[in-house]
PDB file of all heavy atoms in Angstrom:
ATOM      1  N   THR A   1      -9.787  -5.241  11.778  1.00 98.00           N
ATOM      2  CA  THR A   1      -9.036  -5.591  10.568  1.00 98.00           C
ATOM      3  C   THR A   1      -8.744  -4.441   9.730  1.00 98.00           C
ATOM      4  O   THR A   1      -7.623  -4.262   9.190  1.00 98.00           O
ATOM      5  CB  THR A   1      -9.865  -6.687   9.752  1.00 98.00           C
ATOM      6  OG1 THR A   1     -10.310  -7.722  10.676  1.00 98.00           O
ATOM      7  CG2 THR A   1      -8.975  -7.317   8.782  1.00 98.00           C
ATOM      8  N   ALA A   2      -9.764  -3.560   9.564  1.00 97.00           N
ATOM      9  CA  ALA A   2      -9.524  -2.321   8.775  1.00 97.00           C
ATOM     10  C   ALA A   2      -8.400  -1.434   9.403  1.00 97.00           C
ATOM     11  O   ALA A   2      -7.631  -0.821   8.720  1.00 97.00           O
ATOM     12  CB  ALA A   2     -10.784  -1.591   8.621  1.00 97.00           C
ATOM     13  N   GLU A   3      -8.439  -1.336  10.741  1.00 98.00           N
ATOM     14  CA  GLU A   3      -7.440  -0.599  11.478  1.00 98.00           C
ATOM     15  C   GLU A   3      -6.047  -1.213  11.103  1.00 98.00           C
ATOM     16  O   GLU A   3      -5.051  -0.358  10.985  1.00 98.00           O
ATOM     17  CB  GLU A   3      -7.631  -0.598  12.932  1.00 98.00           C
ATOM     18  CG  GLU A   3      -6.651   0.146  13.810  1.00 98.00           C
ATOM     19  CD  GLU A   3      -6.742  -0.027  15.294  1.00 98.00           C
ATOM     20  OE1 GLU A   3      -7.802  -0.361  15.738  1.00 98.00           O
ATOM     21  OE2 GLU A   3      -5.755   0.195  16.000  1.00 98.00           O
ATOM     22  N   LEU A   4      -5.899  -2.488  11.192  1.00 98.00           N
ATOM     23  CA  LEU A   4      -4.623  -3.061  10.899  1.00 98.00           C
ATOM     24  C   LEU A   4      -4.157  -2.736   9.451  1.00 98.00           C
ATOM     25  O   LEU A   4      -2.945  -2.360   9.268  1.00 98.00           O
ATOM     26  CB  LEU A   4      -4.782  -4.567  10.971  1.00 98.00           C
ATOM     27  CG  LEU A   4      -3.472  -5.463  10.681  1.00 98.00           C
ATOM     28  CD1 LEU A   4      -2.392  -5.151  11.669  1.00 98.00           C
ATOM     29  CD2 LEU A   4      -3.765  -6.887  10.640  1.00 98.00           C
ATOM     30  N   ALA A   5      -5.093  -2.810   8.512  1.00 97.00           N
ATOM     31  CA  ALA A   5      -4.692  -2.406   7.131  1.00 97.00           C
ATOM     32  C   ALA A   5      -4.237  -0.965   6.996  1.00 97.00           C
ATOM     33  O   ALA A   5      -3.302  -0.641   6.443  1.00 97.00           O
ATOM     34  CB  ALA A   5      -5.911  -2.645   6.237  1.00 97.00           C
ATOM     35  N   GLU A   6      -5.049  -0.112   7.715  1.00 97.00           N
ATOM     36  CA  GLU A   6      -4.618   1.321   7.634  1.00 97.00           C
ATOM     37  C   GLU A   6      -3.214   1.575   8.260  1.00 97.00           C
ATOM     38  O   GLU A   6      -2.482   2.396   7.721  1.00 97.00           O
ATOM     39  CB  GLU A   6      -5.662   2.181   8.420  1.00 97.00           C
ATOM     40  CG  GLU A   6      -5.358   3.663   8.367  1.00 97.00           C
ATOM     41  CD  GLU A   6      -6.421   4.482   9.102  1.00 97.00           C
ATOM     42  OE1 GLU A   6      -7.371   3.920   9.546  1.00 97.00           O
ATOM     43  OE2 GLU A   6      -6.283   5.726   9.107  1.00 97.00           O
ATOM     44  N   ALA A   7      -2.989   0.961   9.364  1.00 98.00           N
ATOM     45  CA  ALA A   7      -1.673   1.124   9.961  1.00 98.00           C
ATOM     46  C   ALA A   7      -0.549   0.615   9.071  1.00 98.00           C
ATOM     47  O   ALA A   7       0.514   1.335   8.936  1.00 98.00           O
ATOM     48  CB  ALA A   7      -1.656   0.395  11.238  1.00 98.00           C
ATOM     49  N   ARG A   8      -0.749  -0.497   8.366  1.00 97.00           N
ATOM     50  CA  ARG A   8       0.303  -0.952   7.531  1.00 97.00           C
ATOM     51  C   ARG A   8       0.436  -0.057   6.273  1.00 97.00           C
ATOM     52  O   ARG A   8       1.601   0.174   5.831  1.00 97.00           O
ATOM     53  CB  ARG A   8      -0.041  -2.429   7.101  1.00 97.00           C
ATOM     54  CG  ARG A   8       0.000  -3.422   8.240  1.00 97.00           C
ATOM     55  CD  ARG A   8      -0.322  -4.835   7.821  1.00 97.00           C
ATOM     56  NE  ARG A   8       0.688  -5.352   6.874  1.00 97.00           N
ATOM     57  CZ  ARG A   8       1.900  -5.800   7.243  1.00 97.00           C
ATOM     58  NH1 ARG A   8       2.226  -5.845   8.471  1.00 97.00           N
ATOM     59  NH2 ARG A   8       2.707  -6.250   6.361  1.00 97.00           N
ATOM     60  N   ILE A   9      -0.608   0.444   5.733  1.00 97.00           N
ATOM     61  CA  ILE A   9      -0.488   1.300   4.561  1.00 97.00           C
ATOM     62  C   ILE A   9       0.144   2.612   4.952  1.00 97.00           C
ATOM     63  O   ILE A   9       0.964   3.093   4.277  1.00 97.00           O
ATOM     64  CB  ILE A   9      -1.955   1.558   4.026  1.00 97.00           C
ATOM     65  CG1 ILE A   9      -2.502   0.257   3.404  1.00 97.00           C
ATOM     66  CG2 ILE A   9      -1.906   2.632   2.877  1.00 97.00           C
ATOM     67  CD1 ILE A   9      -3.964   0.467   3.117  1.00 97.00           C
ATOM     68  N   ARG A  10      -0.270   3.150   6.167  1.00 97.00           N
ATOM     69  CA  ARG A  10       0.295   4.423   6.484  1.00 97.00           C
ATOM     70  C   ARG A  10       1.869   4.273   6.688  1.00 97.00           C
ATOM     71  O   ARG A  10       2.595   5.183   6.304  1.00 97.00           O
ATOM     72  CB  ARG A  10      -0.311   4.872   7.909  1.00 97.00           C
ATOM     73  CG  ARG A  10       0.081   6.308   8.263  1.00 97.00           C
ATOM     74  CD  ARG A  10      -0.629   6.741   9.553  1.00 97.00           C
ATOM     75  NE  ARG A  10      -2.057   6.618   9.432  1.00 97.00           N
ATOM     76  CZ  ARG A  10      -2.810   7.542   8.812  1.00 97.00           C
ATOM     77  NH1 ARG A  10      -2.241   8.589   8.251  1.00 97.00           N
ATOM     78  NH2 ARG A  10      -4.129   7.311   8.837  1.00 97.00           N
ATOM     79  N   TYR A  11       2.268   3.213   7.272  1.00 97.00           N
ATOM     80  CA  TYR A  11       3.754   3.027   7.407  1.00 97.00           C
ATOM     81  C   TYR A  11       4.356   2.843   6.003  1.00 97.00           C
ATOM     82  O   TYR A  11       5.460   3.502   5.811  1.00 97.00           O
ATOM     83  CB  TYR A  11       4.057   1.692   8.275  1.00 97.00           C
ATOM     84  CG  TYR A  11       5.535   1.555   8.485  1.00 97.00           C
ATOM     85  CD1 TYR A  11       6.017   2.118   9.680  1.00 97.00           C
ATOM     86  CD2 TYR A  11       6.367   0.891   7.660  1.00 97.00           C
ATOM     87  CE1 TYR A  11       7.393   2.048   9.973  1.00 97.00           C
ATOM     88  CE2 TYR A  11       7.720   0.817   7.885  1.00 97.00           C
ATOM     89  CZ  TYR A  11       8.253   1.352   9.083  1.00 97.00           C
ATOM     90  OH  TYR A  11       9.611   1.320   9.337  1.00 97.00           O
ATOM     91  N   LEU A  12       3.812   2.069   5.110  1.00 97.00           N
ATOM     92  CA  LEU A  12       4.377   1.920   3.843  1.00 97.00           C
ATOM     93  C   LEU A  12       4.604   3.200   3.058  1.00 97.00           C
ATOM     94  O   LEU A  12       5.615   3.472   2.421  1.00 97.00           O
ATOM     95  CB  LEU A  12       3.516   0.925   3.073  1.00 97.00           C
ATOM     96  CG  LEU A  12       3.825   0.752   1.526  1.00 97.00           C
ATOM     97  CD1 LEU A  12       5.138   0.015   1.300  1.00 97.00           C
ATOM     98  CD2 LEU A  12       2.660   0.132   0.802  1.00 97.00           C
ATOM     99  N   VAL A  13       3.489   3.978   3.088  1.00 97.00           N
ATOM    100  CA  VAL A  13       3.489   5.232   2.299  1.00 97.00           C
ATOM    101  C   VAL A  13       4.253   6.404   3.010  1.00 97.00           C
ATOM    102  O   VAL A  13       5.042   7.104   2.323  1.00 97.00           O
ATOM    103  CB  VAL A  13       2.022   5.698   2.094  1.00 97.00           C
ATOM    104  CG1 VAL A  13       1.988   7.035   1.387  1.00 97.00           C
ATOM    105  CG2 VAL A  13       1.287   4.580   1.279  1.00 97.00           C
ATOM    106  N   GLU A  14       3.985   6.554   4.252  1.00 97.00           N
ATOM    107  CA  GLU A  14       4.513   7.770   5.026  1.00 97.00           C
ATOM    108  C   GLU A  14       5.841   7.532   5.692  1.00 97.00           C
ATOM    109  O   GLU A  14       6.709   8.469   5.727  1.00 97.00           O
ATOM    110  CB  GLU A  14       3.507   8.264   5.995  1.00 97.00           C
ATOM    111  CG  GLU A  14       2.173   8.704   5.338  1.00 97.00           C
ATOM    112  CD  GLU A  14       1.133   9.197   6.337  1.00 97.00           C
ATOM    113  OE1 GLU A  14       1.421   9.222   7.565  1.00 97.00           O
ATOM    114  OE2 GLU A  14       0.003   9.473   5.938  1.00 97.00           O
ATOM    115  N   GLU A  15       6.077   6.380   6.292  1.00 96.00           N
ATOM    116  CA  GLU A  15       7.320   6.147   6.980  1.00 96.00           C
ATOM    117  C   GLU A  15       8.380   5.527   6.182  1.00 96.00           C
ATOM    118  O   GLU A  15       9.505   6.020   6.012  1.00 96.00           O
ATOM    119  CB  GLU A  15       7.031   5.212   8.234  1.00 96.00           C
ATOM    120  CG  GLU A  15       5.960   5.848   9.164  1.00 96.00           C
ATOM    121  CD  GLU A  15       6.286   7.192   9.798  1.00 96.00           C
ATOM    122  OE1 GLU A  15       7.570   7.407   9.966  1.00 96.00           O
ATOM    123  OE2 GLU A  15       5.525   8.062   9.944  1.00 96.00           O
ATOM    124  N   ALA A  16       8.045   4.394   5.545  1.00 96.00           N
ATOM    125  CA  ALA A  16       8.978   3.763   4.567  1.00 96.00           C
ATOM    126  C   ALA A  16       9.156   4.576   3.327  1.00 96.00           C
ATOM    127  O   ALA A  16      10.221   4.503   2.668  1.00 96.00           O
ATOM    128  CB  ALA A  16       8.613   2.296   4.290  1.00 96.00           C
ATOM    129  N   GLY A  17       8.134   5.333   2.891  1.00 97.00           N
ATOM    130  CA  GLY A  17       8.245   6.207   1.731  1.00 97.00           C
ATOM    131  C   GLY A  17       8.486   5.446   0.461  1.00 97.00           C
ATOM    132  O   GLY A  17       9.219   5.903  -0.398  1.00 97.00           O
ATOM    133  N   PHE A  18       7.750   4.310   0.341  1.00 97.00           N
ATOM    134  CA  PHE A  18       8.063   3.507  -0.902  1.00 97.00           C
ATOM    135  C   PHE A  18       7.831   4.267  -2.189  1.00 97.00           C
ATOM    136  O   PHE A  18       8.670   4.235  -3.077  1.00 97.00           O
ATOM    137  CB  PHE A  18       7.138   2.238  -0.869  1.00 97.00           C
ATOM    138  CG  PHE A  18       7.278   1.476  -2.133  1.00 97.00           C
ATOM    139  CD1 PHE A  18       8.368   0.579  -2.306  1.00 97.00           C
ATOM    140  CD2 PHE A  18       6.371   1.595  -3.200  1.00 97.00           C
ATOM    141  CE1 PHE A  18       8.492  -0.236  -3.469  1.00 97.00           C
ATOM    142  CE2 PHE A  18       6.467   0.910  -4.384  1.00 97.00           C
ATOM    143  CZ  PHE A  18       7.541   0.020  -4.522  1.00 97.00           C
ATOM    144  N   TYR A  19       6.757   4.921  -2.315  1.00 97.00           N
ATOM    145  CA  TYR A  19       6.440   5.602  -3.581  1.00 97.00           C
ATOM    146  C   TYR A  19       7.269   6.850  -3.820  1.00 97.00           C
ATOM    147  O   TYR A  19       7.493   7.161  -5.014  1.00 97.00           O
ATOM    148  CB  TYR A  19       4.927   5.944  -3.605  1.00 97.00           C
ATOM    149  CG  TYR A  19       4.056   4.734  -3.403  1.00 97.00           C
ATOM    150  CD1 TYR A  19       3.461   4.438  -2.197  1.00 97.00           C
ATOM    151  CD2 TYR A  19       3.882   3.844  -4.502  1.00 97.00           C
ATOM    152  CE1 TYR A  19       2.695   3.328  -2.033  1.00 97.00           C
ATOM    153  CE2 TYR A  19       3.057   2.678  -4.237  1.00 97.00           C
ATOM    154  CZ  TYR A  19       2.508   2.431  -3.042  1.00 97.00           C
ATOM    155  OH  TYR A  19       1.739   1.268  -2.836  1.00 97.00           O
ATOM    156  N   ASP A  20       7.810   7.458  -2.818  1.00 97.00           N
ATOM    157  CA  ASP A  20       8.630   8.620  -2.935  1.00 97.00           C
ATOM    158  C   ASP A  20       9.998   8.168  -3.483  1.00 97.00           C
ATOM    159  O   ASP A  20      10.728   8.943  -4.154  1.00 97.00           O
ATOM    160  CB  ASP A  20       8.842   9.319  -1.646  1.00 97.00           C
ATOM    161  CG  ASP A  20       7.544  10.001  -1.226  1.00 97.00           C
ATOM    162  OD1 ASP A  20       6.666  10.318  -2.060  1.00 97.00           O
ATOM    163  OD2 ASP A  20       7.363  10.142   0.077  1.00 97.00           O
ATOM    164  N   SER A  21      10.391   6.916  -3.217  1.00 96.00           N
ATOM    165  CA  SER A  21      11.763   6.519  -3.557  1.00 96.00           C
ATOM    166  C   SER A  21      11.819   5.497  -4.701  1.00 96.00           C
ATOM    167  O   SER A  21      12.838   5.160  -5.123  1.00 96.00           O
ATOM    168  CB  SER A  21      12.410   5.876  -2.303  1.00 96.00           C
ATOM    169  OG  SER A  21      11.700   4.739  -1.832  1.00 96.00           O
ATOM    170  N   SER A  22      10.627   5.034  -5.223  1.00 97.00           N
ATOM    171  CA  SER A  22      10.576   3.965  -6.162  1.00 97.00           C
ATOM    172  C   SER A  22      10.822   4.525  -7.622  1.00 97.00           C
ATOM    173  O   SER A  22      10.251   5.509  -8.043  1.00 97.00           O
ATOM    174  CB  SER A  22       9.215   3.362  -6.225  1.00 97.00           C
ATOM    175  OG  SER A  22       9.006   2.469  -7.267  1.00 97.00           O
ATOM    176  N   TRP A  23      11.737   3.853  -8.294  1.00 97.00           N
ATOM    177  CA  TRP A  23      11.971   4.273  -9.662  1.00 97.00           C
ATOM    178  C   TRP A  23      10.790   3.978 -10.605  1.00 97.00           C
ATOM    179  O   TRP A  23      10.609   4.663 -11.647  1.00 97.00           O
ATOM    180  CB  TRP A  23      13.222   3.500 -10.232  1.00 97.00           C
ATOM    181  CG  TRP A  23      13.029   2.063 -10.485  1.00 97.00           C
ATOM    182  CD1 TRP A  23      13.248   1.058  -9.539  1.00 97.00           C
ATOM    183  CD2 TRP A  23      12.700   1.422 -11.692  1.00 97.00           C
ATOM    184  NE1 TRP A  23      12.995  -0.114 -10.095  1.00 97.00           N
ATOM    185  CE2 TRP A  23      12.601   0.025 -11.431  1.00 97.00           C
ATOM    186  CE3 TRP A  23      12.376   1.908 -12.953  1.00 97.00           C
ATOM    187  CZ2 TRP A  23      12.277  -0.934 -12.455  1.00 97.00           C
ATOM    188  CZ3 TRP A  23      12.018   0.924 -13.915  1.00 97.00           C
ATOM    189  CH2 TRP A  23      11.985  -0.435 -13.669  1.00 97.00           C
ATOM    190  N   LEU A  24      10.006   3.044 -10.188  1.00 98.00           N
ATOM    191  CA  LEU A  24       8.792   2.752 -10.968  1.00 98.00           C
ATOM    192  C   LEU A  24       7.791   3.881 -10.938  1.00 98.00           C
ATOM    193  O   LEU A  24       7.170   4.182 -11.961  1.00 98.00           O
ATOM    194  CB  LEU A  24       8.084   1.465 -10.395  1.00 98.00           C
ATOM    195  CG  LEU A  24       8.872   0.156 -10.493  1.00 98.00           C
ATOM    196  CD1 LEU A  24       8.353  -0.916  -9.620  1.00 98.00           C
ATOM    197  CD2 LEU A  24       8.894  -0.360 -12.017  1.00 98.00           C
ATOM    198  N   ALA A  25       7.700   4.528  -9.826  1.00 98.00           N
ATOM    199  CA  ALA A  25       6.845   5.712  -9.722  1.00 98.00           C
ATOM    200  C   ALA A  25       7.461   6.869 -10.436  1.00 98.00           C
ATOM    201  O   ALA A  25       6.792   7.639 -11.170  1.00 98.00           O
ATOM    202  CB  ALA A  25       6.610   6.071  -8.211  1.00 98.00           C
ATOM    203  N   ALA A  26       8.772   7.026 -10.332  1.00 98.00           N
ATOM    204  CA  ALA A  26       9.429   8.134 -10.969  1.00 98.00           C
ATOM    205  C   ALA A  26       9.297   8.095 -12.556  1.00 98.00           C
ATOM    206  O   ALA A  26       9.242   9.154 -13.174  1.00 98.00           O
ATOM    207  CB  ALA A  26      10.932   8.173 -10.565  1.00 98.00           C
ATOM    208  N   GLU A  27       9.278   6.895 -13.058  1.00 98.00           N
ATOM    209  CA  GLU A  27       9.162   6.710 -14.475  1.00 98.00           C
ATOM    210  C   GLU A  27       7.683   6.463 -14.930  1.00 98.00           C
ATOM    211  O   GLU A  27       7.464   6.183 -16.144  1.00 98.00           O
ATOM    212  CB  GLU A  27      10.004   5.493 -14.969  1.00 98.00           C
ATOM    213  CG  GLU A  27      11.525   5.774 -14.701  1.00 98.00           C
ATOM    214  CD  GLU A  27      12.490   4.836 -15.340  1.00 98.00           C
ATOM    215  OE1 GLU A  27      12.000   3.974 -16.149  1.00 98.00           O
ATOM    216  OE2 GLU A  27      13.641   4.897 -15.062  1.00 98.00           O
ATOM    217  N   GLY A  28       6.753   6.676 -14.101  1.00 98.00           N
ATOM    218  CA  GLY A  28       5.384   6.625 -14.437  1.00 98.00           C
ATOM    219  C   GLY A  28       4.733   5.250 -14.687  1.00 98.00           C
ATOM    220  O   GLY A  28       3.727   5.091 -15.256  1.00 98.00           O
ATOM    221  N   LEU A  29       5.453   4.187 -14.172  1.00 98.00           N
ATOM    222  CA  LEU A  29       5.013   2.807 -14.339  1.00 98.00           C
ATOM    223  C   LEU A  29       4.003   2.381 -13.313  1.00 98.00           C
ATOM    224  O   LEU A  29       3.341   1.383 -13.472  1.00 98.00           O
ATOM    225  CB  LEU A  29       6.219   1.864 -14.398  1.00 98.00           C
ATOM    226  CG  LEU A  29       7.318   2.220 -15.505  1.00 98.00           C
ATOM    227  CD1 LEU A  29       8.304   1.074 -15.491  1.00 98.00           C
ATOM    228  CD2 LEU A  29       6.703   2.350 -16.830  1.00 98.00           C
ATOM    229  N   ILE A  30       4.036   3.077 -12.156  1.00 98.00           N
ATOM    230  CA  ILE A  30       3.061   2.881 -11.116  1.00 98.00           C
ATOM    231  C   ILE A  30       2.600   4.254 -10.625  1.00 98.00           C
ATOM    232  O   ILE A  30       3.342   5.264 -10.783  1.00 98.00           O
ATOM    233  CB  ILE A  30       3.485   2.036  -9.924  1.00 98.00           C
ATOM    234  CG1 ILE A  30       4.771   2.735  -9.238  1.00 98.00           C
ATOM    235  CG2 ILE A  30       3.803   0.610 -10.394  1.00 98.00           C
ATOM    236  CD1 ILE A  30       5.106   2.014  -7.979  1.00 98.00           C
ATOM    237  N   ASP A  31       1.363   4.319 -10.062  1.00 97.00           N
ATOM    238  CA  ASP A  31       0.771   5.573  -9.549  1.00 97.00           C
ATOM    239  C   ASP A  31       0.097   5.218  -8.252  1.00 97.00           C
ATOM    240  O   ASP A  31      -0.753   4.320  -8.188  1.00 97.00           O
ATOM    241  CB  ASP A  31      -0.237   6.112 -10.527  1.00 97.00           C
ATOM    242  CG  ASP A  31      -0.867   7.366 -10.037  1.00 97.00           C
ATOM    243  OD1 ASP A  31      -0.776   7.719  -8.842  1.00 97.00           O
ATOM    244  OD2 ASP A  31      -1.478   8.108 -10.873  1.00 97.00           O
ATOM    245  N   PRO A  32       0.549   5.847  -7.192  1.00 96.00           N
ATOM    246  CA  PRO A  32      -0.067   5.505  -5.814  1.00 96.00           C
ATOM    247  C   PRO A  32      -1.547   5.594  -5.811  1.00 96.00           C
ATOM    248  O   PRO A  32      -2.211   4.876  -5.018  1.00 96.00           O
ATOM    249  CB  PRO A  32       0.535   6.549  -4.864  1.00 96.00           C
ATOM    250  CG  PRO A  32       1.820   7.027  -5.523  1.00 96.00           C
ATOM    251  CD  PRO A  32       1.572   6.872  -6.950  1.00 96.00           C
ATOM    252  N   ASP A  33      -2.146   6.416  -6.587  1.00 97.00           N
ATOM    253  CA  ASP A  33      -3.577   6.610  -6.607  1.00 97.00           C
ATOM    254  C   ASP A  33      -4.336   5.409  -7.240  1.00 97.00           C
ATOM    255  O   ASP A  33      -5.502   5.259  -7.127  1.00 97.00           O
ATOM    256  CB  ASP A  33      -3.979   7.880  -7.462  1.00 97.00           C
ATOM    257  CG  ASP A  33      -3.587   9.155  -6.703  1.00 97.00           C
ATOM    258  OD1 ASP A  33      -3.477   9.076  -5.493  1.00 97.00           O
ATOM    259  OD2 ASP A  33      -3.452  10.190  -7.392  1.00 97.00           O
ATOM    260  N   ARG A  34      -3.576   4.497  -7.893  1.00 98.00           N
ATOM    261  CA  ARG A  34      -4.154   3.280  -8.438  1.00 98.00           C
ATOM    262  C   ARG A  34      -3.982   2.075  -7.632  1.00 98.00           C
ATOM    263  O   ARG A  34      -4.184   0.916  -7.991  1.00 98.00           O
ATOM    264  CB  ARG A  34      -3.589   3.049  -9.874  1.00 98.00           C
ATOM    265  CG  ARG A  34      -3.989   4.217 -10.834  1.00 98.00           C
ATOM    266  CD  ARG A  34      -3.488   3.921 -12.237  1.00 98.00           C
ATOM    267  NE  ARG A  34      -4.142   2.733 -12.918  1.00 98.00           N
ATOM    268  CZ  ARG A  34      -5.325   2.756 -13.454  1.00 98.00           C
ATOM    269  NH1 ARG A  34      -6.072   3.915 -13.414  1.00 98.00           N
ATOM    270  NH2 ARG A  34      -5.824   1.636 -13.988  1.00 98.00           N
ATOM    271  N   PHE A  35      -3.505   2.301  -6.371  1.00 97.00           N
ATOM    272  CA  PHE A  35      -3.382   1.205  -5.374  1.00 97.00           C
ATOM    273  C   PHE A  35      -4.624   1.064  -4.505  1.00 97.00           C
ATOM    274  O   PHE A  35      -5.230   2.084  -4.189  1.00 97.00           O
ATOM    275  CB  PHE A  35      -2.094   1.379  -4.539  1.00 97.00           C
ATOM    276  CG  PHE A  35      -0.841   0.948  -5.219  1.00 97.00           C
ATOM    277  CD1 PHE A  35      -0.316   1.670  -6.247  1.00 97.00           C
ATOM    278  CD2 PHE A  35      -0.261  -0.255  -4.957  1.00 97.00           C
ATOM    279  CE1 PHE A  35       0.858   1.281  -6.921  1.00 97.00           C
ATOM    280  CE2 PHE A  35       0.927  -0.693  -5.650  1.00 97.00           C
ATOM    281  CZ  PHE A  35       1.472   0.169  -6.616  1.00 97.00           C
ATOM    282  N   THR A  36      -4.851  -0.070  -3.956  1.00 96.00           N
ATOM    283  CA  THR A  36      -5.875  -0.328  -3.022  1.00 96.00           C
ATOM    284  C   THR A  36      -5.418  -1.206  -1.914  1.00 96.00           C
ATOM    285  O   THR A  36      -4.172  -1.462  -1.785  1.00 96.00           O
ATOM    286  CB  THR A  36      -7.125  -0.999  -3.667  1.00 96.00           C
ATOM    287  OG1 THR A  36      -8.238  -0.998  -2.738  1.00 96.00           O
ATOM    288  CG2 THR A  36      -6.798  -2.364  -4.187  1.00 96.00           C
ATOM    289  N   ALA A  37      -6.271  -1.625  -1.039  1.00 95.00           N
ATOM    290  CA  ALA A  37      -5.920  -2.619  -0.014  1.00 95.00           C
ATOM    291  C   ALA A  37      -6.784  -3.867  -0.256  1.00 95.00           C
ATOM    292  O   ALA A  37      -7.935  -3.734  -0.692  1.00 95.00           O
ATOM    293  CB  ALA A  37      -6.065  -2.095   1.445  1.00 95.00           C
ATOM    294  N   MET A  38      -6.305  -4.998   0.132  1.00 94.00           N
ATOM    295  CA  MET A  38      -7.098  -6.226   0.048  1.00 94.00           C
ATOM    296  C   MET A  38      -7.466  -6.669   1.411  1.00 94.00           C
ATOM    297  O   MET A  38      -6.713  -6.736   2.301  1.00 94.00           O
ATOM    298  CB  MET A  38      -6.233  -7.281  -0.736  1.00 94.00           C
ATOM    299  CG  MET A  38      -5.840  -6.890  -2.107  1.00 94.00           C
ATOM    300  SD  MET A  38      -4.732  -8.042  -2.877  1.00 94.00           S
ATOM    301  CE  MET A  38      -5.802  -9.366  -3.174  1.00 94.00           C
ATOM    302  N   PHE A  39      -8.807  -7.028   1.508  1.00 94.00           N
ATOM    303  CA  PHE A  39      -9.445  -7.421   2.838  1.00 94.00           C
ATOM    304  C   PHE A  39     -10.050  -8.800   2.541  1.00 94.00           C
ATOM    305  O   PHE A  39     -10.975  -8.955   1.745  1.00 94.00           O
ATOM    306  CB  PHE A  39     -10.500  -6.378   3.193  1.00 94.00           C
ATOM    307  CG  PHE A  39     -11.116  -6.598   4.570  1.00 94.00           C
ATOM    308  CD1 PHE A  39     -10.950  -5.558   5.547  1.00 94.00           C
ATOM    309  CD2 PHE A  39     -11.809  -7.683   4.844  1.00 94.00           C
ATOM    310  CE1 PHE A  39     -11.488  -5.730   6.763  1.00 94.00           C
ATOM    311  CE2 PHE A  39     -12.383  -7.862   6.157  1.00 94.00           C
ATOM    312  CZ  PHE A  39     -12.187  -6.836   7.097  1.00 94.00           C
ATOM    313  N   GLY A  40      -9.561  -9.776   3.294  1.00 93.00           N
ATOM    314  CA  GLY A  40     -10.032 -11.112   3.175  1.00 93.00           C
ATOM    315  C   GLY A  40     -10.653 -11.709   4.403  1.00 93.00           C
ATOM    316  O   GLY A  40     -10.477 -11.237   5.501  1.00 93.00           O
ATOM    317  N   VAL A  41     -11.419 -12.757   4.248  1.00 95.00           N
ATOM    318  CA  VAL A  41     -12.015 -13.528   5.315  1.00 95.00           C
ATOM    319  C   VAL A  41     -11.666 -15.041   5.037  1.00 95.00           C
ATOM    320  O   VAL A  41     -11.630 -15.404   3.926  1.00 95.00           O
ATOM    321  CB  VAL A  41     -13.436 -13.352   5.501  1.00 95.00           C
ATOM    322  CG1 VAL A  41     -13.833 -11.890   5.895  1.00 95.00           C
ATOM    323  CG2 VAL A  41     -14.308 -13.806   4.221  1.00 95.00           C
ATOM    324  N   PHE A  42     -11.419 -15.748   6.135  1.00 95.00           N
ATOM    325  CA  PHE A  42     -11.199 -17.138   5.908  1.00 95.00           C
ATOM    326  C   PHE A  42     -11.846 -17.919   7.100  1.00 95.00           C
ATOM    327  O   PHE A  42     -12.246 -17.367   8.082  1.00 95.00           O
ATOM    328  CB  PHE A  42      -9.789 -17.513   5.735  1.00 95.00           C
ATOM    329  CG  PHE A  42      -8.808 -17.330   6.955  1.00 95.00           C
ATOM    330  CD1 PHE A  42      -8.399 -18.352   7.667  1.00 95.00           C
ATOM    331  CD2 PHE A  42      -8.480 -16.019   7.307  1.00 95.00           C
ATOM    332  CE1 PHE A  42      -7.618 -18.175   8.723  1.00 95.00           C
ATOM    333  CE2 PHE A  42      -7.561 -15.824   8.380  1.00 95.00           C
ATOM    334  CZ  PHE A  42      -7.140 -16.849   9.069  1.00 95.00           C
ATOM    335  N   ALA A  43     -11.845 -19.260   6.981  1.00 96.00           N
ATOM    336  CA  ALA A  43     -12.396 -20.205   8.001  1.00 96.00           C
ATOM    337  C   ALA A  43     -13.946 -20.044   8.073  1.00 96.00           C
ATOM    338  O   ALA A  43     -14.499 -20.195   9.140  1.00 96.00           O
ATOM    339  CB  ALA A  43     -11.765 -19.952   9.341  1.00 96.00           C
ATOM    340  N   LEU A  44     -14.555 -19.736   6.943  1.00 94.00           N
ATOM    341  CA  LEU A  44     -15.994 -19.636   6.916  1.00 94.00           C
ATOM    342  C   LEU A  44     -16.675 -20.950   7.257  1.00 94.00           C
ATOM    343  O   LEU A  44     -17.594 -21.030   8.022  1.00 94.00           O
ATOM    344  CB  LEU A  44     -16.456 -19.104   5.552  1.00 94.00           C
ATOM    345  CG  LEU A  44     -17.998 -19.059   5.278  1.00 94.00           C
ATOM    346  CD1 LEU A  44     -18.648 -18.131   6.289  1.00 94.00           C
ATOM    347  CD2 LEU A  44     -18.233 -18.664   3.880  1.00 94.00           C
ATOM    348  N   ALA A  45     -16.205 -22.061   6.654  1.00 95.00           N
ATOM    349  CA  ALA A  45     -16.773 -23.301   6.876  1.00 95.00           C
ATOM    350  C   ALA A  45     -16.623 -23.700   8.381  1.00 95.00           C
ATOM    351  O   ALA A  45     -17.633 -24.228   8.991  1.00 95.00           O
ATOM    352  CB  ALA A  45     -16.124 -24.405   6.008  1.00 95.00           C
TER     353      ALA A  45
END
């Protein structure tokens, strides 16, 4: 599951380049260093 998260994040950041192209980042409204990943579990019952 962690591998899946890492692969998706790497694509978002390095391949799609979201933060490099986002006007929100350029204007200081978001900072990549303040992002995390969410890891969930379900079907416990």
